[in-house]
């Protein structure tokens, strides 16, 4: 079933409920399941659980991802024999936009038969979409499909689904968590999952390079404006010295806002082309998206970003100027010096 | 009802089931609830939830703790008016041994009417003990008491109980978590708790001093024996420079074992008297308690400790010698050099 390439904006996306999504999966076979680029625990957990579940029903499945799958997910990814065959049905999991397929985007644009997602921002690029934007992780959607289809859960599939739940919620502590997230986790425990080992692998293990990088980033810490602003820097030199890539910078923005009293956490990360990505994390009354908008960026109330072309010193100067202005507007009469 | 001081070992400890524990609480009044010294989220969550619950039933309650209660728990501790009065019933929560009362131990030895605990190692120092050693956090026991008594749950009590659950489990990722832990968390969400804010306060917020201390500790990192051993140091000088106390060293032992490939994580912490506390965290085949036993300490398979009197250099030399021996025994034929 080869389809011609369609222009995304021309396609009509049919919204499916859980019943329709399961019927679609039952009627089809020979699945190619796609993960997003720079794969995380949620897209991988979704893909491998679904592949294992459908395989158990006698259907053929294979999985593709533009980027290499980190070894820390071996405990469920290696449990699935990912053979190549002529697939007939293409399913995308946890992918809000076709461009997030990375290196696979061009090949599959207009060819996705079904997207299973939890991002409210989903761009409706697929022919069909099963969307649960209340789900903390896409693996909640996958769990619901397992229960409704029903597909058989075992230790490996439960571990994969648990991985998505836990990684997309910072181990059950982000604002996206609901009672349902915990209820699903409780149920998954009955399949003998080693949740503590998963937690250790996902949250309490880092490469030596990442540890060294973290040390360098902490060494760069500057405090400004009566300690209401913390600024961290990660340069290409630091990444090169420690053998780290941009993926290893995950979590640095969180550190920038982790110190008591800090209302604006800034992290300036040098990109391969020498330009800078500035991430801003704020607490009220400051507004990250307002701050970033001043430099041509955007985002949410508490988390936003912008790009900067120029020297590191200028990047610091520009973003600090905006933060200072925002502090002065919110704390009239207080003087904020470096 | 003043009682004379009894010698702990002379007392007979009556084991209560949940029904008996609730009946005891119903029959009594004028409660003093005791937390353990250097209070954490579980002992505080237990005490404040219980005090609020019993107060809602018209009973008088007060809470005591040998040490100051950290401000980060304000969201539930400040919601309880802790007045002084002549208490008649003394309840200890989350306290495995009378000595853990710290500065209050001498005053209350032999006087505890009821202990509510989840430590299997509980020393039976109280007249009555309600023990659930399957509970990940003592707040699971408190939740069961709320449901069985029943006591009314609201946003503040649910937040207190959630705090104990989350802090004693590293945000639901330690090996003590069970399906029940998640089911209780799911139920607590129905009381409008701000779990994300609690998670941020408990896990993603640190003092600037702690951040500086962490940086210094990371700067001390040494890798030995083909990178199978990581060694961290925290000296009094570091603590003094950063305005930190021993409490701020919480989590350093975890960092020592957090790097990929490390089988033995060592942290050497200088104590006020200039001696050293050595914490050892291992992965199989290494055994932390065996390693520490060689230096007169002890503990569990994966986590143990010992003390050392002498110079920091000698402390390093001694513990590394033992780790090397253990590695050589477990990897016959491999040579381990620094």
């Amino acid at each position: 079933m080869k389809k011609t390439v369609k222009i995304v904006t021309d396609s009509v996306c049919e919204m499916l409920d859980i019943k329709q999504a399961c019927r679609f999966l039952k009627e089809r076979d020979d699945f190619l399941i796609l993960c997003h680029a720079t794969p995380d625990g949620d897209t991988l957990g979704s893909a491998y659980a679904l592949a294992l579940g459908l395989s158990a029903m006698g259907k053929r499945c294979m999985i593709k991802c533009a980027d290499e799958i980190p070894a820390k997910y071996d405990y469920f990814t290696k449990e699935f024999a990912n053979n190549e065959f002529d697939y007939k049905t293409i399913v995308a999991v946890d992918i809000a936009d076709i461009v997030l397929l990375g290196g696979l985007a061009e090949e599959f644009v207009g060819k996705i038969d079904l997207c299973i997602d939890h991002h409210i921002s989903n761009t409706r690029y697929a022919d069909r979409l099963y969307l649960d934007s209340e789900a903390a992780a896409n693996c909640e959607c996958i769990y619901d499909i397992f229960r409704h289809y029903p597909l058989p859960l075992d230790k490996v599939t439960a571990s994969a689904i648990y991985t998505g739940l836990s990684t997309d919620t910072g181990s059950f502590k982000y604002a996206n968590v609901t009672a349902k997230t915990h209820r699903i986790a409780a149920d998954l425990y009955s399949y003998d999952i080693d949740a503590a080992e998963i937690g250790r692998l996902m949250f309490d293990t880092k490469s030596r390079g990442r540890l060294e990088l973290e040390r360098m980033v902490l060494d760069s810490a500057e405090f400004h404006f009566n300690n209401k602003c913390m600024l961290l820097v990660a340069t290409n030199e630091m990444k090169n010295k420690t053998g780290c890539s941009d993926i290893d910078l995950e979590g640095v923005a969180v550190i920038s806002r982790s110190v008591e009293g800090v209302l604006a956490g800034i992290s300036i990360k040098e990109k391969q082309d020498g330009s800078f990505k500035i991430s801003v994390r704020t607490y009220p009354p400051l507004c990250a998206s307002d701050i970033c908008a001043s430099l041509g960026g955007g985002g949410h109330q508490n988390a936003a970003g912008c790009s900067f072309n120029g020297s590191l010193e200028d990047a610091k100067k520009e973003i600090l100027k905006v933060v200072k202005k925002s502090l002065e507007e919110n704390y009239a009469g207080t003087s904020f010096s470096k």
Side-chain angles (χ1 to χ4, degrees), chain A:
Chain A
M1 196 189 78
K2 278 274 167 211
K3 299 198 294 182
T4 51
V5 175
K6 291 188 291 187
I7 303 300
V8 180
T9 46
D10 278 348
S11 71
V12 174
C13 177
E14 185 189 351
M15 300 299 290
L16 306 188
D17 60 21
I18 182 100
K19 208 170 142 181
Q20 293 166 318
C22 289
R23 191 188 310 141
F24 177 83
L25 292 170
K26 280 179 190 176
E27 287 169 359
R28 301 293 184 109
D29 200 346
D30 295 339
F31 292 94
L32 168 63
I33 304 175
L34 298 175
C35 297
H36 63 67
T38 59
D40 60 13
D42 198 26
T43 197
L44 292 171
S46 294
Y48 282 86
L50 189 60
L52 286 159
L54 291 172
S55 297
M57 307 306 284
K59 294 176 186 283
R60 284 205 297 185
C61 296
M62 56 185 277
I63 294 171
K64 276 197 181 188
C65 179
D67 299 317
E68 206 184 330
I69 295 170
K72 66 177 177 177
Y73 300 107
D74 277 0
Y75 61 94
F76 64 87
T77 58
K78 294 293 179 206
E79 300 294 321
F80 173 74
N82 200 15
N83 301 313
E84 290 265 335
F85 57 84
D86 286 333
Y87 49 83
K88 296 201 183 73
T89 311
I90 305 177
V91 180
V93 288
D94 191 40
I95 305 177
D97 191 310
I98 191 82
V99 300
L100 299 175
L101 277 173
L104 297 176
E106 213 170 312
E107 182 179 353
F108 291 106
V109 62
K111 294 186 184 169
I112 314 290
D113 296 294
L114 170 66
C115 172
I116 301 169
D117 194 19
H118 71 127
H119 296 96
I120 196 158
S121 58
N122 187 289
T123 58
R124 273 71 170 161
Y125 58 85
D127 291 350
R128 298 162 195 82
L129 173 62
Y130 171 63
L131 178 75
D132 179 1
S133 61
E134 301 285 301
N138 196 54
C139 276
E140 282 193 25
C141 306
I142 298 294
Y143 175 86
D144 285 342
I145 287 172
F146 264 72
R147 285 309 186 207
H148 193 279
Y149 190 118
L151 296 171
L153 273 168
D154 61 13
K155 180 172 176 165
V156 178
T157 46
S159 299
I161 293 173
Y162 178 86
T163 300
L165 248 56
S166 122
T167 54
D168 250 30
T169 60
S171 197
F172 304 96
K173 71 173 143 58
Y174 293 160
N176 55 357
V177 174
T178 64
K180 182 177 172 182
T181 317
H182 279 291
R183 277 197 299 266
I184 295 173
D187 186 35
L188 296 175
Y189 267 73
S190 59
Y191 297 94
D192 194 29
I193 61 172
D194 192 347
E197 175 66 5
I198 295 172
R200 191 186 67 75
L201 284 168
M202 297 300 122
F203 297 102
D204 295 333
T205 308
K206 52 185 92 178
S207 68
R208 182 167 170 185
R210 159 75 201 217
L211 186 89
E212 303 277 354
L213 181 67
E214 209 168 297
R215 182 161 79 174
M216 290 182 188
V217 168
L218 287 182
D219 278 338
S220 81
E222 295 176 13
F223 288 84
H224 296 276
F225 315 136
N226 312 350
N227 298 325
K228 286 195 160 42
C229 174
M230 179 178 178
L231 188 148
L232 298 174
V233 170
T235 63
N236 286 332
E237 194 191 343
M238 292 179 192
K239 284 184 266 175
N240 293 339
K241 263 193 189 163
T242 56
C244 283
S245 66
D246 289 340
I247 292 182
D248 295 298
L249 290 173
E250 213 180 282
V252 165
V254 173
I255 298 174
S256 77
R257 200 184 50 178
S258 68
V259 171
E260 279 166 19
V262 166
L263 296 178
I266 314 290
S267 44
I268 304 182
K269 302 166 211 167
E270 190 178 2
K271 296 201 284 193
Q272 288 310 318
D273 64 6
S275 70
F276 294 95
K277 162 101 176 96
I278 304 180
S279 298
V280 178
R281 297 287 181 277
T282 55
Y283 287 118
L286 298 197
C287 174
S289 65
D290 285 356
I291 289 171
C292 290
S294 303
L295 294 175
H300 306 278
Q301 163 83 30
N302 296 331
C306 56
S307 294
F308 187 84
N309 280 298
S311 70
L312 175 59
E313 284 317 304
D314 283 345
K316 284 187 187 180
K317 210 188 294 176
E318 289 302 316
I319 187 71
L320 287 174
K321 205 195 292 176
V322 183
V323 170
K324 187 179 181 189
K325 186 161 164 276
S326 174
L327 279 165
E328 285 170 345
E329 282 167 8
N330 283 287
Y331 296 90
T334 308
S335 125
F336 291 98
S337 54
K338 273 213 169 185

